Amino acid sequence: MFKALLSLFRPRAANKPAEARPAAVAAADAGQTYLCHRPILDRGQRVVAHELSVDVHRALRACPWQGPSRKLFEDVLLRQFAQARLEALLAQRRVFLPVGSGIIEHPALHSLPRQNVVLQIAWHEEGRPGSPGTLADGMQRLRAMGFALACAHELLDGDEKAGQLADYVTVDVGRMAPPELLDVQRRLATHRQQQPLLAMNIAFMEMYQACRQIRFTHFHGDFIRCSEEAPVDIDLPPYKAAAMELLNAIRAQASAAVLAERAWIDPTLVLRLLRVVNSPAMRLRTPISDLKQGIAYLGYDELYRWVTLLLFSSQRAEDRHPMEYAWRETALVRGRFMELAATGRLPAKACSQLFVVGVLSMIDKLFGMPMPYALEKFALSPEVSQALLFRRGSYAPYYELALACENGEQTSIETLATGCGLDMDIVNRYQIEALEWMLEFTDALEELARDMR
């Protein structure tokens, strides 16, 4: 598992229309349509899937989607997905693609992988030329092609045959008031007892907790990034406190002897660092058993990255917040995406710092305190602090681009990507690469934690 760890930290070599049209249509025709990725959690609060979508531009949000608009975005999504290299992602996670039932006629459909791909039927246009006669007919054909299916609950009302073909039933809870949501859940609990229920577009933690208390099994939305009410200061678990001490000593470029002394505050931290140094990725001829020697071998930058990541690897289950795994994955994807996006555009030192910005962007949730107070515990460079606290400075555009790719607002992504010197193909590719890197690295990090128990 550690064979590729070292390489995981090295980035890979990475006309307007004549007549006025909606911005979304013009951008899509020009090829400037960006993927959006959002995690999906199970009841154990683990990320088990990702939704990849193409969101609408602001120009189309004020009016209902019409058939041509839906077809346009579905076409862009399928072609982007078919062109991406997703073997590593699909080997471990399911990927949900929001589409219409008319997808059965799309020429890119046959080129899509089948393993862990879930076609999420979000709309059905009865009787449209080229579409199946009924929703159930289209779903039956897609199942026969080997695809797993999710379907919006309102499309299944009164259609028992279609309901039996759905592997998941989705509910857009983001646009429902609590009484309506409860009524929908009760009806689904009666008529859809076998299928997992996926709550879509959960906007905040209170809504997420409400969905967990009723029969939803999977959860999607921005709630992962929302802050809960938190005290100004709390006592950190000893393992995290020791890692903090070591990080600040690394930032001050203390000697290897001083760094080793700080690490020995918690012996588990020492064991994990020695495990990293002696991993096959480091290609040592003889193992290193002396921590000072190991620290000197890693160097300040590599050591800082590893200790920062170990903050997200709790020593004891009682120290772990239930959302810690989701927070860690979000932070890792952000950090890796930002590092890839800046490679070749900023100095190597700045790229490494952007990775740290991404990882620390979830530190307020991990520590359970507001971001300004959480960052006070770190001796950070001004550029990192400015980006995290105020979205300012040379690192801020990359940080905002990473957040925009999670939000999926096309206009913002396009503006920020252009400012960073990135085109649509590169941004979409880096999103996929960051997701796949995160999965590989998380496996290695959890193996490290298991070995130290």
Side-chain angles (χ1 to χ4, degrees):
M1 180 59 67
F2 282 98
K3 186 167 65 174
L5 273 179
L6 190 59
S7 63
L8 289 179
F9 271 142
R10 293 176 180 162
R12 303 171 195 174
N15 191 26
K16 294 186 180 179
E19 61 183 69
R21 291 178 296 167
V25 176
D29 285 351
Q32 292 299 308
T33 307
Y34 297 82
L35 291 175
C36 168
H37 66 269
R38 293 186 179 94
I40 295 173
L41 276 61
D42 64 6
R43 289 194 65 83
Q45 296 174 305
R46 291 269 192 164
V47 180
V48 294
H50 296 270
E51 181 197 53
L52 290 182
S53 63
V54 174
D55 210 348
V56 297
H57 278 250
R58 194 177 289 114
L60 287 186
R61 289 189 174 180
C63 59
W65 275 25
Q66 303 300 316
S69 299
R70 283 175 164 166
K71 186 176 185 301
L72 168 68
F73 287 103
E74 177 184 81
D75 180 74
V76 172
L77 173 63
L78 291 184
R79 295 191 185 280
Q80 288 287 343
F81 187 77
Q83 292 168 11
R85 293 174 296 177
L86 296 161
E87 292 83 0
L89 180 60
L90 292 172
Q92 298 190 52
R93 299 280 172 83
R94 287 200 156 190
V95 172
F96 285 67
L97 302 177
V99 295
S101 58
I103 189 180
I104 192 71
E105 305 298 333
H106 198 285
L109 183 64
H110 293 277
S111 64
L112 295 184
R114 304 298 193 269
Q115 179 187 10
N116 281 339
V117 171
V118 181
L119 299 179
Q120 179 184 328
I121 310 298
W123 65 87
H124 173 61
E125 297 169 6
E126 193 82 40
R128 185 176 63 82
S131 69
T134 67
L135 175 63
D137 292 339
M139 293 177 66
Q140 183 73 56
R141 291 170 64 187
L142 291 170
R143 286 296 295 269
M145 294 175 67
F147 290 106
L149 301 176
C151 191
H153 79 95
E154 60 267 27
L155 300 180
L156 300 177
D157 282 348
D159 193 336
E160 189 58 36
K161 183 178 179 182
Q164 293 174 356
L165 293 168
D167 298 285
Y168 299 85
V169 177
T170 65
V171 180
D172 187 354
V173 303
R175 59 182 177 82
M176 292 184 179
E180 182 185 2
L181 173 59
L182 190 58
D183 178 63
V184 168
Q185 188 275 331
R186 284 171 176 165
R187 285 190 285 113
L188 291 174
T190 301
H191 300 291
R192 306 281 171 233
Q193 297 181 4
Q194 304 304 317
Q195 292 104 325
L197 298 184
L198 170 53
M200 302 292 296
N201 302 314
I202 303 174
F204 46 87
M205 288 301 298
E206 290 83 354
M207 183 185 293
Y208 166 67
Q209 296 296 348
C211 290
R212 274 182 58 82
Q213 290 178 21
I214 50 184
R215 203 185 73 84
F216 287 98
T217 59
H218 293 75
F219 311 89
H220 158 284
D222 294 333
F223 67 96
I224 294 175
R225 295 179 284 142
C226 293
S227 296
E228 301 177 84
E229 287 295 323
V232 169
D233 206 358
I234 60 171
D235 291 329
L236 295 177
Y239 176 75
K240 288 185 172 65
M244 288 294 313
E245 290 286 333
L246 181 55
L247 283 170
N248 290 333
I250 297 167
R251 172 70 183 156
Q253 297 201 329
S255 66
V258 171
L259 295 178
E261 181 181 343
R262 297 291 174 84
W264 272 110
I265 294 174
D266 190 294
T268 301
L269 183 57
V270 174
L271 292 172
R272 292 186 177 187
L273 287 173
L274 286 174
R275 172 72 173 168
V276 168
V277 172
N278 290 302
S279 71
M282 299 301 176
R283 299 178 181 175
L284 294 176
R285 292 186 178 181
T286 57
I288 292 177
S289 57
D290 179 73
L291 182 59
K292 288 187 290 185
Q293 184 183 358
I295 287 172
Y297 181 80
L298 283 174
Y300 289 117
D301 290 344
E302 194 81 359
L303 181 62
Y304 195 95
R305 291 162 68 101
W306 272 104
V307 178
T308 303
L309 289 167
L310 291 176
L311 285 171
F312 285 86
S313 181
S314 295
Q315 179 183 355
R316 303 180 305 169
E318 55 266 34
D319 294 334
R320 186 181 302 121
H321 190 284
M323 295 289 290
E324 184 172 305
Y325 293 110
W327 293 337
R328 181 177 68 187
E329 292 198 6
T330 300
L332 285 171
V333 171
R334 286 179 186 174
R336 183 58 173 173
F337 173 81
M338 293 161 64
E339 184 177 35
L340 288 168
T343 299
R345 297 167 181 84
L346 296 181
K349 178 82 171 178
C351 295
S352 181
Q353 287 286 286
L354 280 167
F355 179 83
V356 172
V357 170
V359 172
L360 293 183
S361 66
M362 303 296 286
I363 204 69
D364 54 334
K365 296 163 183 59
L366 182 68
F367 283 5
M369 61 181 67
M371 181 65 83
Y373 294 97
L375 293 186
E376 280 181 357
K377 299 182 178 296
F378 294 83
L380 297 172
S381 69
E383 293 86 355
V384 172
S385 296
Q386 286 285 308
L388 288 170
L389 291 175
F390 308 112
R391 311 279 178 87
R392 297 176 188 161
S394 59
Y395 297 165
Y398 294 92
Y399 182 35
E400 291 189 317
L401 178 59
L403 297 179
C405 289
E406 297 172 18
N407 294 328
E409 213 295 309
Q410 296 284 302
T411 306
S412 296
I413 301 175
E414 185 173 357
T415 300
L416 291 164
T418 301
C420 293
L422 303 168
D423 64 24
M424 178 268 296
D425 288 330
I426 292 176
V427 170
N428 289 344
R429 176 160 56 88
Y430 285 169
Q431 287 193 69
I432 299 301
E433 287 188 14
L435 284 167
E436 294 188 333
W437 179 90
M438 174 274 297
L439 291 173
E440 192 172 355
F441 188 82
T442 298
D443 283 347
L445 198 61
E446 293 197 354
E447 180 179 319
L448 176 64
R450 286 193 298 270
D451 290 346
M452 293 298 103
R453 287 173 191 156

